[in-house]
Amino acid sequence: MEPRISLITLGVDDLERAYRFYAEGLGFPAHRTEGQDIVFFSTAGTRLALYPREKLAEDAGSRLIGRDRGFPGITLAHNTREKTEVDEILQRAEAAGGAIVKPAQDAFWGGYSGYFADPDGYLWEVAWAEFWQFDANGALVLD
């Protein structure tokens, strides 16, 4: 097996609202077919998809749809090339209807980061560190 994450699918309560947040608010390039209940977004490397929460739970055979919506146990991250981009992206997310969960600040691990929640409560960390490097496609280099 090749180690890879090809697609992250978020179960959303309102597909149109989530689409507007990511496509119009954050500027993610969307791939959408009219009349379908799924939206795909191009990102560097991994793709992001939005699908109605109940349909995603049904597809996964999950009975967790009515559970308490506390900390979801997962965060997504957008790593930036420049420190100033962290604040810019947090502001953009808030203007698009997201909520700032943790304002940007110096982090214990030596970088600078903050968190926002999208309209469905998914947490995104926006982070920068001077020691990070990116490849030509914008993917974080781990070596």
Side-chain angles (χ1 to χ4, degrees):
M1 179 177 141
E2 295 179 64
R4 159 184 319 124
I5 297 175
S6 303
L7 181 66
I8 295 171
T9 304
L10 303 179
V12 299
D13 292 325
D14 182 328
L15 187 62
E16 287 304 312
R17 177 188 68 189
Y19 168 77
R20 286 191 308 275
F21 178 80
Y22 285 99
E24 298 169 14
L26 297 182
F28 283 25
H31 303 272
R32 188 174 195 189
T33 302
E34 194 65 36
Q36 290 193 349
D37 287 337
I38 193 163
V39 179
F40 294 96
F41 296 96
S42 293
T43 66
T46 304
R47 302 299 187 234
L48 178 68
L50 306 174
Y51 193 62
R53 183 184 304 270
E54 289 184 12
K55 289 183 179 186
L56 185 59
E58 180 182 330
D59 185 54
S62 176
R63 296 183 191 151
L64 300 176
I65 194 69
R67 69 184 165 95
D68 176 56
R69 291 207 186 160
F71 178 70
I74 184 173
T75 63
L76 305 167
H78 178 91
N79 301 99
T80 66
R81 295 176 193 266
E82 302 293 332
K83 185 175 183 178
T84 57
E85 290 178 279
V86 173
D87 293 304
E88 292 167 6
I89 292 167
L90 289 171
Q91 291 169 3
R92 185 171 182 167
E94 186 173 40
I100 303 302
V101 174
K102 181 180 178 184
Q105 56 194 267
D106 292 329
F108 71 91
W109 46 265
Y112 181 74
S113 74
Y115 282 83
F116 71 85
D118 76 2
D120 288 280
Y122 290 104
L123 298 175
W124 282 80
E125 178 186 26
V126 183
W128 167 86
E130 65 180 317
F131 49 84
W132 286 342
Q133 295 184 11
F134 298 85
D135 68 16
N137 295 319
L140 188 63
V141 175
L142 299 176
D143 296 331

